[in-house]
Amino acid sequence: MHTGQRKIIIAIDGYSACGKSTLARALAKRLQYLHIDSGAMYRAVTLYFMRHHINIQDPQDVQDALEKISIYLTFENETQITWLNHENVEAAIRAPEVNQWVSPVSTLTSVRKEMVAQQQRMGKGKGLVMDGRDIGTVVFPEAELKMFLTAELDVRVERRWLELNEKGIVASREEVKNNLLQRDHIDSTREDSPLRKAEDATVIDTSYLTPKEQLQIAHDLARATIDRIKI
Ligand code: CDP
């Protein structure tokens, strides 16, 4: 009898700035899984479109651009580095201008098709925690464990504002709040793969939980899931 533990896919979805990536990274580290922040891929496409003045209303322009883009991820000390055509864009993709454009770009079906195909290939070997907006609903509808993170708006604004501040990016709380609201709206009302909770996802409100507490909850869920499917 085989007593090894099966590796699973863990999908973490939710609104902007409610702690998905921080939790996904910590959980992957604890489980010795790979963590993939799928938002970074949409951000890298957006950066390319901005730099090359791609008209996102023009499907041909978008298609031509997609053919020129190569996005891949590498990992250093378990931290993801996002590459766009062989350039490390990990810092550039977090800039406020990218925050402004990433949601409109992410509504495009041609963009989503490319990203989802690439993400699904990354999940082939399992042992993966992926965070985003459509991971439990579209990318891995069969994921063994799905979580949906929420947090109160003011908490999210404060977290994102601090994060930007630490990176030396100046933005007012009002600007951060408007961007989060705008992105949440576009992400949850778009036609293709809108942000929504998968029916079988567990909701975690992170508003009053420390990162350590969030990790404990997620890790307990993961262990229970892994034990359940142990063969
Ligand atoms: O870190 P934050 O929550 O602000 O955003 P992110 O995860 O980096 O994602 C940036 C944007 O990419 C989102 O606002 C979505 O528009 C898009 N996105 C998506 O459409 N599907 C995903 N699986 C991940 C991100």
Side-chain angles (χ1 to χ4, degrees):
M1 193 178 69
H2 179 61
T3 54
Q5 283 191 335
R6 277 205 17 219
K7 291 203 164 195
I8 63 170
I9 290 185
I10 301 174
I12 304 184
D13 290 305
Y15 297 97
S16 300
C18 50
K20 296 181 303 290
S21 292
T22 307
L23 175 63
R25 191 178 311 119
L27 180 61
K29 190 171 177 187
R30 176 81 78 86
L31 295 169
Q32 293 190 301
Y33 277 19
L34 188 63
H35 163 228
I36 292 177
D37 162 11
S38 67
M41 299 170 68
Y42 290 93
R43 287 173 176 275
V45 172
T46 304
L47 183 65
Y48 183 95
F49 282 14
M50 286 167 51
R51 284 177 173 175
H52 294 86
H53 309 287
I54 305 301
N55 174 5
I56 64 169
Q57 316 279 13
D58 179 346
Q60 194 57 51
D61 213 14
V62 169
Q63 197 53 46
D64 291 346
L66 283 173
E67 277 158 31
K68 295 190 190 109
I69 298 180
S70 142
I71 293 170
Y72 59 91
L73 310 172
T74 58
F75 300 88
E76 248 171 54
N77 302 324
E78 292 134 11
T79 299
Q80 174 176 309
I81 297 175
T82 309
W83 299 81
L84 169 64
N85 293 342
H86 314 299
E87 176 192 348
N88 177 344
V89 290
E90 196 48 52
I93 59 173
R94 314 285 164 190
E97 306 81 64
V98 175
N99 283 337
Q100 212 61 50
W101 283 104
V102 66
S103 285
V105 168
S106 301
T107 62
L108 303 172
T109 294
S110 50
V111 170
R112 307 203 67 81
K113 257 196 187 149
E114 292 274 335
M115 297 303 108
V116 170
Q118 203 168 330
Q119 289 154 7
Q120 288 172 336
R121 282 197 295 276
M122 293 168 179
K124 279 262 148 52
K126 300 251 179 172
L128 177 74
V129 184
M130 191 179 285
D131 73 276
R133 303 290 186 289
D134 60 344
I135 310 306
T137 51
V138 175
V139 182
F140 297 119
E142 307 300 325
E144 289 86 351
L145 176 60
K146 300 177 187 177
M147 291 176 241
F148 190 87
L149 266 52
T150 63
E152 288 169 13
L153 181 60
D154 288 349
V155 174
R156 296 197 280 135
V157 171
E158 197 59 25
R159 285 182 188 160
R160 183 51 49 96
W161 183 81
L162 277 171
E163 206 175 278
L164 290 172
N165 237 324
E166 272 163 24
K167 288 181 184 157
I169 299 173
V170 184
S172 69
R173 286 183 173 81
E174 202 54 29
E175 283 166 332
V176 172
K177 184 175 184 171
N178 289 338
N179 179 256
L180 293 186
L181 284 173
Q182 192 188 22
R183 278 200 290 133
D184 284 350
H185 177 71
I186 299 174
D187 293 348
S188 36
T189 55
R190 70 185 174 214
E191 236 166 79
D192 189 343
S193 324
L195 164 65
R196 62 181 175 78
K197 182 186 103 57
E199 270 180 23
D200 49 348
T202 303
V203 177
I204 303 175
D205 183 337
T206 68
S207 307
Y208 302 103
L209 296 172
T210 64
K212 208 174 154 192
E213 288 165 339
Q214 293 171 41
L215 175 61
Q216 193 56 50
I217 293 170
H219 187 250
D220 287 348
L221 285 170
R223 290 267 33 121
T225 309
I226 293 166
D227 287 346
R228 200 169 54 239
I229 63 163
K230 209 189 271 180
I231 45 167

